[in-house]
Amino acid sequence: MSILTILEFPDRRLRTKARDVTVFDRSVTDLVEDMIETMYDYKGVGLAATQVNIHQRVIVIDTSEEKNSPLCLINPEILEKDGVEESEEGCLSVPGFFELVTRAEHIKLKARDKHGKPFEMEAGELLAVCIQHEIDHLDGKLFVDYLSPLKRRRIKSKLEKIHKQQGKKK
Ligand code: NI
């Protein structure tokens, strides 16, 4: 297993639309394991393959307190949405920023597990928000897209400044 590098906003590669996984082989289960390890290492609640520059529709999530129940969603598709919930979101690709985003409160979805087995599930609250956030990543979308252009520009310039400083240190 290995810790993967996470792309950070405004990296253009985060705008790539990911493709469905069609072959479920060892490369998929390895990717899922690396993504879970990376998510825990960065203390995140979710990670999409897009964020580690792999453009396949693979998501890992763990909203448990104990960080011991990882959920893997491959080729996820939301079937139903209802209710409205506003909550503070953050993202490993937008480190250090937390903003209010409005999402559906409750969702029903279908997906495949890491072996390709299809299943359906329902989710509410934090898990529902997290799944919608991660599916956005697979479509090249980030939570900052829901903010005002002014707020988004501020976050962008602050992160660009940090990336510049990090570049100089290397
Ligand atoms: Ni994110």
Side-chain angles (χ1 to χ4, degrees), residues 51 90-93 133-134 137:
Q51 293 176 274
C91 179
L92 295 176
S93 292
H133 174 118
E134 300 308 331
H137 276 302

Side-chain angles (χ1 to χ4, degrees), residues 4 7 18 31 48-57 138:
L4 308 166
L7 302 176
L31 171 64
T50 309
Q51 293 176 274
V52 294
N53 201 27
I54 292 171
H55 303 286
Q56 295 183 35
R57 301 186 81 81
L138 301 180

Side-chain angles (χ1 to χ4, degrees), residues 8-12 14-15 89-103 133 136-137 140-157 159:
E8 292 185 4
F9 176 69
D11 195 309
R12 293 300 303 170
L14 287 167
R15 299 305 187 180
E89 292 187 25
C91 179
L92 295 176
S93 292
V94 192
F97 295 91
F98 298 89
E99 298 287 345
L100 286 173
V101 177
T102 304
R103 307 262 187 197
H133 174 118
D136 270 357
H137 276 302
K141 217 167 164 188
L142 296 165
F143 85 91
V144 295
D145 300 348
Y146 297 99
L147 310 178
S148 71
L150 177 67
K151 254 187 191 168
R152 188 164 54 249
R153 271 200 303 275
R154 278 195 188 141
I155 294 173
K156 182 173 176 253
S157 61
L159 281 173

Side-chain angles (χ1 to χ4, degrees), residues 22-83:
T22 49
V23 181
F24 290 82
D25 58 10
R26 180 74 194 272
S27 72
V28 175
T29 50
D30 283 353
L31 171 64
V32 168
E33 285 193 7
D34 286 347
M35 284 174 61
I36 289 170
E37 204 189 355
T38 304
M39 170 177 71
Y40 289 149
D41 191 65
Y42 281 82
K43 302 189 175 12
V45 292
L47 186 69
T50 309
Q51 293 176 274
V52 294
N53 201 27
I54 292 171
H55 303 286
Q56 295 183 35
R57 301 186 81 81
V58 179
I59 286 170
V60 296
I61 288 172
D62 192 345
T63 54
S64 70
E65 294 246 339
E66 304 79 15
K67 296 288 166 224
N68 58 4
S69 0
L71 168 70
C72 166
L73 302 175
I74 297 185
N75 306 343
E77 262 179 70
I78 293 177
L79 303 171
E80 279 173 39
K81 282 186 182 190
D82 69 89

